[in-house]
Amino acid sequence: MGWRLALRPYVLIVPALLLTCGILYPFGLGLYYTLFDFSASKPQPDMVRFENYETVFTQEAFWNSAWVTVLYAVGAAAVETVLGVAVALLLHRSSMVGRVLEKILILPLMIAPVIAAIIWKLMLQPSVGVINYLLRPFGLGGVQWTDTPTGALLSSIAVDVWVYTPFVAILALAGLRSLPASPFEAAAVDGAGWWYTFRRLTLPMLWPYVLVAVIFRFMDSLKVFDIIYALTEGGPGDSTVVLQIRAYLEAIRFQRYSFGISYTIVLWAVVYLAAMVLVKHLGKIQRKAAEVAAK
Amino acid sequence: MKRTDQVTRQKRLLGWAADAALILYFVFALFPIAWMVILSLKPTNQLFSTYFSFSPTLDGYRTVLGDSEGIPFVRFFVNSLVVSVGAVVLSLLVGLPAAYASARWRFKGSENLMFTLLSFRFAPELTVIIPLFVLYQKLGLFDTYVGMVWVLQLVTLPLIVWIMRSYFADLTPELEQAALLDGYTRKQAFVRVALPLVKPGVAAVSLLAFIFAWNNFVFPLILTSNEAQTVTVGALSFLGGDRPKYNLTAAAALVSVVPPLLLALTIQRYLVRGLSFGAVKS
């Protein structure tokens, strides 16, 4: 009965795979669509091979979207990392205040990003929003938060930071709590200062955890959709049209299906490549952290 | 003596500074939620004046929950419940065996299969949604519960498989082997020995998956129109119209975050464990 034993894991996995294939099929179908000029106005499409992709790459709109997407992803991931690690370090000190606050750290993360964007949109209204109301005593009452190109980009990054900083903080805190104690004890015996300990011990050993969080945040920010959709819808002008928003506009709003999908395929390839590079880097960092911990 | 005094004083000051910084961050984190509560309780005629002093009223909630703006919000809420629970149940049914198999046996292609499952987390949603949009309209799945439950697997299934895999991997195989020696079949060993031991994990990951499904926006935005629309899309529709009603939007936003926030507060510790587990171990 050996073959039945060998087959067992496959049998257990097949249902999950079938369901996954239900998703893989549209993915393949989408890939196939991009070779045609399939749109609502052309239900009997011609084969155009790679023309859609050629159009994508020669379009200025694409490069603008790519630039905005990178700005958004780098900005959001960077702020979330610094702020998240700072919050984790402060919570790790474990004061009374910290223990109480830690319990509610997760709350913004549990709010749907689209709802978060709605909430911030209400607060950022130039004339009636509470943010400008609170800024008025400082002479800053009239900021057009989402109506200027820079303001719109910064506002959407702020919403991302509000929602996802807890994610980085939680991972960093889990990391801090799992660090070995002996290197720190040795450093304390040697009379090492706080800054030295932090730079030479805490940070290198914590870095793998932080990098995992960065990878997740960077990948997710590259394909941001809901925050921008609810906050700015890509505007003003083209200033916040990230790639997924552009794909949505092309495919759903203008019903150029295959053209819209080629946008997402390009984005998918970029995310995949970025993931590969970062994961490789992660391996290196993990080895370095292990060396520090072993010292 | 004097030196140690100074050192403790410095330490205490630093401690206060750290607490102050923490409190500042948490004001940033919690103020928006508190402000929505205030805004949602404002009467319509006081929306644009008096910021913090007003006469609170539940009218906003009455309007939102009473469909009086022509937006059937209660139905959207029920829809969210149905499709999120449906997606989680289906993911558990197929995901638990898959997680168990991949934790217990090294077999040909196991890592690749698992990576394929996880890689869906990194695919841009629109890559599959646009073809699905075309496909769903042909198949009659557009704007239906079945269509939504099926597509939400993209969110719930990888999460459940990956987190449960590490829970199963933490169990020693000896437990099930002992059960096998006692005359249990493999299936019985799984159902009666392994599964009960990971029950807390199953509970936590189910709730986490439920929250993720509930919070999803882009699937219902494109794959539903009215019948199966969910709260995340529904809440956004209060922002439309000629005269924006901020109190109604705030009330709708708050109602739609009640389930995830309540769950998060009750099982906070397990959610944090699940979140960091799912990320770090993969």
Side-chain angles (χ1 to χ4, degrees):
Chain A
M1 295 300 259
W3 58 273
R4 274 190 60 186
L5 265 177
L7 273 182
R8 184 180 290 131
Y10 294 103
V11 173
L12 289 175
I13 283 186
V14 157
L17 271 180
L18 278 180
L19 212 59
T20 314
C21 287
I23 301 299
L24 262 182
Y25 173 67
F27 182 82
L29 192 67
L31 210 56
Y32 178 68
Y33 280 165
T34 60
L35 304 177
F36 295 83
D37 58 350
F38 182 34
S39 64
S41 59
K42 237 183 159 186
Q44 292 296 323
D46 296 322
M47 173 89 146
V48 296
R49 291 169 197 258
F50 298 107
E51 218 170 81
N52 280 318
Y53 294 97
E54 278 167 38
T55 320
V56 166
F57 285 117
T58 49
Q59 231 189 4
E60 209 182 310
F62 166 77
W63 294 104
N64 170 59
S65 284
W67 175 237
V68 173
T69 309
V70 168
L71 277 183
Y72 180 93
V74 171
V79 178
E80 281 151 25
T81 307
V82 173
L83 196 57
V85 171
V87 170
L89 285 170
L90 289 173
L91 286 172
H92 190 52
R93 279 180 57 254
S94 173
S95 66
M96 254 272 283
V97 176
R99 274 193 295 276
V100 174
L101 293 181
E102 192 193 317
K103 293 192 168 42
I104 47 179
L105 177 65
I106 200 172
L107 289 187
L109 192 56
M110 293 296 122
I111 291 181
V114 63
I115 302 290
I118 294 175
I119 291 175
W120 279 85
K121 192 171 179 148
L122 296 184
M123 298 203 307
L124 289 170
Q125 295 288 334
S127 57
V128 297
V130 68
I131 305 242
N132 276 357
Y133 172 80
L134 293 173
L135 285 176
R136 218 156 282 157
F138 306 97
L140 282 169
V143 186
Q144 303 281 318
W145 292 104
T146 52
D147 296 335
T148 61
T150 320
L153 189 61
L154 289 180
S155 303
S156 46
I157 290 177
V159 179
D160 203 285
V161 166
W162 184 72
V163 177
Y164 291 111
T165 297
F167 176 73
V168 181
I170 284 167
L171 289 201
L173 195 58
L176 280 171
R177 291 195 171 141
S178 65
L179 295 186
S182 56
F184 292 100
E185 283 158 7
V189 170
D190 292 346
W194 178 85
W195 178 241
Y196 184 88
T197 317
F198 175 70
R199 248 185 35 150
R200 290 304 173 85
L201 295 177
T202 317
L203 212 50
M205 285 198 286
L206 186 63
W207 205 225
Y209 295 91
V210 176
L211 198 62
V212 168
V214 172
I215 292 178
F216 270 82
R217 285 318 314 141
F218 184 66
M219 301 294 139
D220 277 352
S221 311
L222 280 178
K223 41 180 208 138
V224 60
F225 179 80
D226 33 15
I227 289 177
I228 305 257
Y229 181 90
L231 194 70
T232 67
E233 264 197 272
D238 272 357
S239 58
T240 52
V241 183
V242 290
L243 286 167
Q244 282 224 96
I245 292 282
R246 175 80 65 196
Y248 170 82
L249 292 176
E250 291 291 353
I252 306 293
R253 196 74 49 93
F254 311 139
Q255 303 197 308
R256 290 192 284 249
Y257 303 126
S258 42
F259 189 58
I261 301 168
S262 16
Y263 257 97
T264 71
I265 299 282
V266 173
L267 176 60
W268 171 77
V270 171
V271 174
Y272 201 86
L273 280 177
M276 269 182 13
V277 171
L278 282 171
V279 167
K280 213 171 153 195
H281 191 59
L282 178 65
K284 239 189 284 171
I285 297 274
Q286 274 169 335
R287 279 191 294 280
K288 225 185 252 170
E291 278 168 31
V292 175
K295 258 187 212 157
Chain B
M1 259 336 243
K2 212 143 187 207
R3 224 185 102 75
T4 47
D5 261 10
Q6 235 173 10
V7 169
T8 46
R9 198 154 83 218
Q10 237 175 19
K11 261 199 170 154
R12 209 185 305 153
L13 271 176
L14 268 177
W16 282 340
D19 280 345
L22 261 187
I23 290 173
L24 207 64
Y25 172 76
F26 276 90
V27 168
F28 166 67
L30 296 182
F31 178 76
I33 303 173
W35 180 248
M36 282 310 106
V37 175
I38 293 178
L39 201 53
S40 70
L41 293 173
K42 278 195 171 190
T44 308
N45 59 357
Q46 287 174 23
L47 269 182
F48 304 118
S49 54
T50 48
Y51 270 76
F52 290 91
S53 63
F54 62 99
S55 32
T57 163
L58 286 174
D59 283 352
Y61 290 93
R62 262 180 226 122
T63 312
V64 166
L65 298 177
D67 301 354
S68 15
E69 284 290 305
I71 298 166
F73 199 68
V74 174
R75 203 181 71 213
F76 295 159
F77 194 91
V78 174
N79 286 349
S80 276
L81 272 179
V82 172
V83 298
S84 306
V85 170
V88 171
V89 170
L90 187 58
S91 299
L92 283 175
L93 283 178
V94 302
L96 284 177
Y100 182 71
S102 79
R104 273 290 169 269
W105 295 287
R106 298 268 133 241
F107 52 91
K108 223 177 157 189
S110 67
E111 287 311 301
N112 286 338
L113 284 178
M114 284 300 112
F115 188 76
T116 310
L117 259 179
L118 186 72
S119 68
F120 290 116
R121 212 192 155 286
F122 289 131
E125 290 89 344
L126 286 174
T127 315
V128 289
I129 295 181
I130 299 165
L132 276 178
F133 173 73
V134 179
L135 202 67
Y136 270 28
Q137 286 189 320
K138 270 190 216 155
L139 294 176
L141 284 174
F142 181 78
D143 205 14
T144 62
Y145 284 163
V146 175
M148 274 304 290
V149 167
W150 182 28
V151 75
L152 280 174
Q153 298 306 309
L154 252 172
V155 178
T156 51
L157 188 59
L159 190 76
I160 284 177
V161 171
W162 271 89
I163 296 183
M164 285 322 295
R165 186 191 192 199
S166 42
Y167 271 99
F168 281 125
D170 283 351
L171 288 184
T172 55
E174 278 84 36
L175 282 169
E176 293 135 76
Q177 269 150 24
L180 291 182
L181 287 180
D182 285 349
Y184 278 44
T185 66
R186 256 285 168 190
K187 203 167 123 203
Q188 283 170 328
F190 171 69
V191 175
R192 295 203 194 150
V193 180
L195 214 47
L197 284 171
V198 295
K199 228 198 273 170
V202 175
V205 79
S206 307
L207 293 174
L208 194 60
F210 172 85
I211 292 170
F212 278 35
W214 178 280
N215 283 351
N216 194 280
F217 171 69
V218 60
F219 295 122
L221 175 73
I222 295 174
L223 299 177
T224 69
S225 69
N226 200 25
E227 290 301 315
Q229 198 170 97
T230 61
V231 280
T232 44
V233 182
L236 194 61
S237 39
F238 283 97
L239 266 180
D242 343 319
R243 271 186 319 145
K245 299 226 169 75
Y246 296 135
N247 52 346
L248 301 187
T249 314
L254 275 178
V255 171
S256 68
V257 300
V258 162
L261 283 194
L262 273 185
L263 287 179
L265 282 174
T266 13
I267 53 155
Q268 183 259 1
R269 279 179 47 216
Y270 299 99
L271 286 190
V272 169
R273 188 173 132 91
L275 275 174
S276 39
F277 230 44
V280 174
K281 289 225 171 171
S282 61

